[in-house]
Amino acid sequence: MNDPQSPLRQASNFPGNLLRRCHQISVAIFLNKGKPLQVTQLQYIVLAALEERGTLDQSRLGGLTALDRNTTAVVVKKLEARGLVTRERNAQDRRSMLVTLSAQGRDLRRRAEVVAVDTQDELMAPLSAAERETLRGLLQKIADQNNGLSRVPVIK
């Protein structure tokens, strides 16, 4: 069907759907490039947050990375199983867990930075440098202005 008003064509061109498709592509590129390191985008962002901020309460870690509680718990458990992070009960609040980056985790995060940068370069390859910066700025504006609408808003 070539009708520009067809329901599928219209839905396919919604910005949200295009963002979803671009996200799928980004994940696929990252997984392919990160295969030797056995790291995912979600694991990378968690490692990056811990390297930058130090030991964090698991719920704060989720807030900084816009990951819900369950996803944060799964990612942290996988990282812990590999010796990339440690978890311990928070002495001030026994209900919460503190997550700390290990030396192995710091090393993996630094090696995976190349994967993250290369993924972005490949994803954005169809765009000029100016278009890349415009798109990045527009996406940041959308994310910032709509943060409160998210199921998992980013906390600063």
Side-chain angles (χ1 to χ4, degrees), residues 3-154:
D3 177 7
Q5 298 303 316
S6 77
L8 177 58
R9 183 174 303 266
Q10 183 182 22
S12 295
N13 286 309
F14 286 160
N17 188 61
L18 294 170
L19 288 168
R20 180 189 61 80
R21 287 185 54 217
C22 289
H23 173 71
Q24 289 174 324
I25 294 164
S26 177
V27 168
I29 295 167
F30 192 99
L31 287 175
N32 184 46
K33 290 182 178 297
K35 192 174 243 176
L37 299 177
Q38 297 180 319
V39 65
T40 67
Q41 284 182 321
L42 295 183
Q43 291 169 345
Y44 178 77
I45 192 96
V46 165
L47 294 173
L50 291 168
E51 183 167 10
E52 180 176 317
R53 299 288 180 101
T55 298
L56 291 168
D57 172 274
Q58 194 165 299
S59 55
R60 174 116 176 108
L61 177 61
L64 289 170
T65 56
L67 298 175
D68 63 59
R69 286 180 49 190
N70 291 335
T71 303
T72 303
V74 168
V75 170
V76 168
K77 283 180 186 177
K78 288 182 179 182
L79 293 171
E80 183 182 35
R82 293 180 59 192
L84 303 171
V85 302
T86 59
R87 285 187 317 151
E88 62 180 297
R89 284 264 168 234
N90 184 341
Q92 281 72 42
D93 181 355
R94 302 293 297 162
R95 296 169 298 167
S96 69
M97 297 294 286
L98 296 175
V99 184
T100 303
L101 187 64
S102 70
Q104 289 174 283
R106 183 171 283 103
D107 178 62
L108 178 65
R109 205 283 316 153
R110 289 180 179 158
R111 289 186 290 136
E113 184 173 6
V114 173
V115 171
V117 170
D118 287 352
T119 295
Q120 301 316 302
D121 288 344
E122 187 170 333
L123 178 67
M124 303 291 268
L127 304 178
S128 70
E131 288 171 326
R132 290 177 189 199
E133 187 52 33
T134 298
L135 178 60
R136 194 212 54 77
L138 292 171
L139 291 172
Q140 188 68 61
K141 184 175 183 178
I142 291 170
D144 289 347
Q145 294 297 312
N146 292 308
N147 188 51
L149 302 175
S150 174
R151 288 184 318 116
V152 189
V154 171

